[in-house]
Amino acid sequence: MRDVFFLALPGLLAAGGIAGMVWAVVRMRRLNAAWRGGVTAEGVCVSAYVVTTSRGHGHGNIGGSSHSTWHHVYEFTTPEGEVRRFEEGGGPRTVVGGDRVVVRYPQGRPDQATAIPPGERNKTLFATGCLLAFLTVFVLGALSFIGFYLTVFRPVADTVEDRVRDTVRHVRESPEPGPPVGTPTGAPTGFPPGFPTGFPTGVPGDWPSDMPPPPPLR
């Protein structure tokens, strides 16, 4: 149970961070493929909305932070006449519903379309780099915690548990203490019967007889 808590949770966090890094790299490669040698088509912004992610504690996110990202839903028609619709985050905030946009996608892959213009490449690359740096630190922190647990914490905890287990087993296997050996049993015996005898009787006969007479009365 202890290993599940200290290994599974950090492992899941590290796996999630690695998955985020892979997604960021794949997304950047897809954007580069669409910008460099992609097909262009005229599209329209169907809707736009803001997604706010809050990180903090307390009621109303007091003392925390929040991050807002614009999301757009675009619709375009391929040269073959196929109508496509996709959702994309991180687009320009100036684009609202009903605006005309240029959609780009790799040859033969309209499912990888983007409406982010090539002029936003440096901005997108910088944001991706920041995300990768954050996720790298996050994953390294989770893996470092796992390494610390395996090399330091778990051996110490196992040693303590072994000592406690040995102490409990020793107490259970020890015989119960009995009465001391040689302790007298039963009531005491050998008391003298009857009452004591040999007490002196009469007046002592060895009082002095030459005591001086009392002084005369005046």
Side-chain angles (χ1 to χ4, degrees):
M1 184 62 184
R2 185 188 62 203
D3 290 346
V4 172
F5 178 78
F6 285 101
L7 293 179
L9 183 58
L12 291 176
L13 294 177
I18 294 174
M21 296 171 65
V22 173
W23 173 86
V25 172
V26 171
R27 178 176 181 270
M28 197 65 208
R29 293 186 61 182
R30 178 178 63 82
L31 292 176
N32 286 328
W35 288 335
R36 291 175 180 175
V39 180
T40 60
E42 183 178 356
V44 61
C45 177
V46 178
S47 63
Y49 59 94
V50 179
V51 176
T52 301
T53 303
S54 300
R55 296 183 297 271
H57 58 276
H59 180 70
N61 194 34
I62 298 177
S65 61
S66 61
H67 176 72
S68 299
T69 304
W70 277 87
H71 283 246
H72 299 86
V73 179
Y74 299 105
E75 184 178 282
F76 68 99
T77 303
T78 64
E80 294 78 19
E82 182 182 1
V83 178
R84 287 271 184 168
R85 179 175 291 190
F86 67 95
E87 181 179 351
E88 188 172 45
R93 299 185 178 184
T94 55
V95 177
V96 295
D99 289 351
R100 295 288 177 176
V101 296
V102 177
V103 176
R104 296 173 174 84
Y105 58 90
Q107 182 70 36
R109 298 300 305 270
D111 57 309
Q112 297 183 2
T114 179
I116 300 177
E120 299 287 333
R121 182 179 185 277
N122 292 334
K123 180 180 178 181
T124 305
L125 185 61
F126 176 77
T128 303
C130 292
L131 178 61
L132 289 176
F134 171 78
L135 292 177
T136 300
V137 174
F138 182 80
V139 172
L140 290 178
L143 295 179
S144 298
F145 180 84
I146 294 176
F148 173 80
Y149 173 78
L150 293 176
T151 58
V152 178
F153 184 80
R154 190 168 72 173
V156 174
D158 291 342
T159 301
V160 174
E161 287 184 357
D162 292 340
R163 291 182 178 178
V164 173
R165 191 180 301 110
D166 293 340
T167 303
V168 173
R169 183 170 57 250
H170 177 72
V171 171
R172 290 179 177 177
E173 294 177 355
S174 299
E176 296 184 359
V181 179
T183 303
T185 59
T189 58
F191 289 104
F195 291 97
T197 59
F199 289 104
T201 59
V203 180
D206 55 351
W207 286 94
S209 58
D210 56 349
M211 295 181 64
L217 298 177
R218 293 181 181 180

